[in-house]
Structures are given as structure tokens and as C-alpha cells.
Amino acid sequence: DIASNISLQTMFVGIDDPEGSLKLPKSNSWIHHSWDHDNNMADHKKDCLKTPAFFISFSSAKDPTYASRHPGKHVALVIGPCCYDDVEQFKNDRVKHRSKEYVSMKDKWQEIFMKVLLDRFPELRNKVDFVDFGTAVTNDFYLSTNRGA
């Protein structure tokens, strides 16, 4: 068997745009701290809060029927890699009832992901209506992934 070397974290963001002023891209965005991906990953393995890369997509912008079905709303997805070892100790905890330590770590990651999203798309400031952040153990529970990927 080949084991996954990297896990994933996801952040779903509901965006409120009642005036329909946002012109979100149909293309995906990849954001890296540098083009030295090996070094980015090495830094991440030393400090789990140094996420090496981010993928941002707006599925609502890609679907031509979305605006008619959900007027004034958009959805953003932000994905970033993580090390499963950072959350493995929480894998057997009950979902939505995990420890304060886990929630604190998850909140820090969410803050980092949100900063990346809003730095890249500042027009979303004050339009965020909903945020749901999931770690690798969240993916295992809801998506039946193996080690979050």
C-alpha cells in the first residue's frame, strides 16, 4: 500500500452579495509563499501554522445557473495541505465535541485561511456570511478519506 504523504484542510465560505456587485473569477487561484515548494513544505513540517500553499475556487462563479437559484449568494472554497500528525490525536474524539486544544488549533488555521482569501480578494471583506472549516480528521469522518486526503 502507498500511504498519503499529505493531508488536506478545507474552508467553505458563504458570501452575501445582495446587490450582485461581486465579479468573482471562474478560474482557480493557487497561492504559494514562494516557488521553492520543498522549502515551503519543510517550513510547514516544522510549524503546522505555516501552510505551504492554498487553492481558492468559487464554484458559484463557474455555474451559470447558480445566480438564478441562489440570488445574492456565492460560495468560496479554500483548500490547503496539512500534516495528519498534527490532528491525529483527535481522530477518535466525538465530532463537534472535540477538545479545546483541537478547537483552538482549528480556529488558528481558519484565521490563516481567511486572511489568505481576503488578502487575495479584498472585495469579500464584510460580505462573509458563513464559514465552515474542516481539518484532516473532519475529512476522514465526513468523506471517509484516509488520513485526510
Side-chain angles (χ1 to χ4, degrees):
D1 288 341
I2 298 175
S4 175
N5 190 23
I6 197 74
S7 300
L8 298 173
Q9 300 183 114
T10 54
M11 183 175 74
F12 295 93
V13 181
I15 301 161
D16 195 24
D17 182 29
E19 59 281 338
S21 63
L22 292 174
K23 304 295 180 223
L24 299 173
K26 294 179 182 177
S27 59
N28 301 322
S29 297
W30 287 93
I31 299 167
H32 310 273
H33 296 293
S34 78
W35 286 105
D36 185 347
H37 301 303
D38 290 336
N39 189 52
N40 292 344
M41 281 304 296
D43 286 348
H44 177 60
K45 287 179 180 179
K46 291 178 202 165
D47 180 354
C48 68
L49 296 177
K50 292 185 177 181
T51 304
F54 299 88
F55 168 86
I56 301 174
S57 182
F58 298 95
S59 56
S60 55
K62 297 176 183 187
D63 180 353
T65 68
Y66 191 89
S68 64
R69 292 181 294 117
H70 306 284
K73 301 290 183 183
H74 288 284
V75 178
L77 170 64
V78 184
I79 301 173
C82 65
C83 296
Y84 191 78
D85 294 346
D86 296 325
V87 293
E88 185 171 21
Q89 65 184 330
F90 307 107
K91 71 180 181 180
N92 295 320
D93 294 352
R94 192 169 148 217
V95 174
K96 304 283 185 193
H97 298 280
R98 291 194 170 112
S99 70
K100 289 181 182 178
E101 180 185 3
Y102 174 82
V103 171
S104 174
M105 186 184 311
K106 189 174 158 180
D107 288 346
K108 288 176 188 172
W109 278 318
Q110 180 176 311
E111 186 177 315
I112 291 165
F113 277 48
M114 188 60 72
K115 181 179 181 340
V116 168
L117 176 66
L118 296 177
D119 284 353
R120 176 67 178 88
F121 299 97
E123 65 273 24
L124 299 180
R125 291 190 199 286
N126 303 316
K127 292 187 178 282
V128 173
D129 187 42
F130 171 84
V131 178
D132 190 22
F133 191 90
T135 68
V137 293
T138 309
N139 292 343
D140 284 353
F141 182 80
Y142 287 107
L143 304 175
S144 294
T145 57
N146 181 31
R147 296 178 56 85

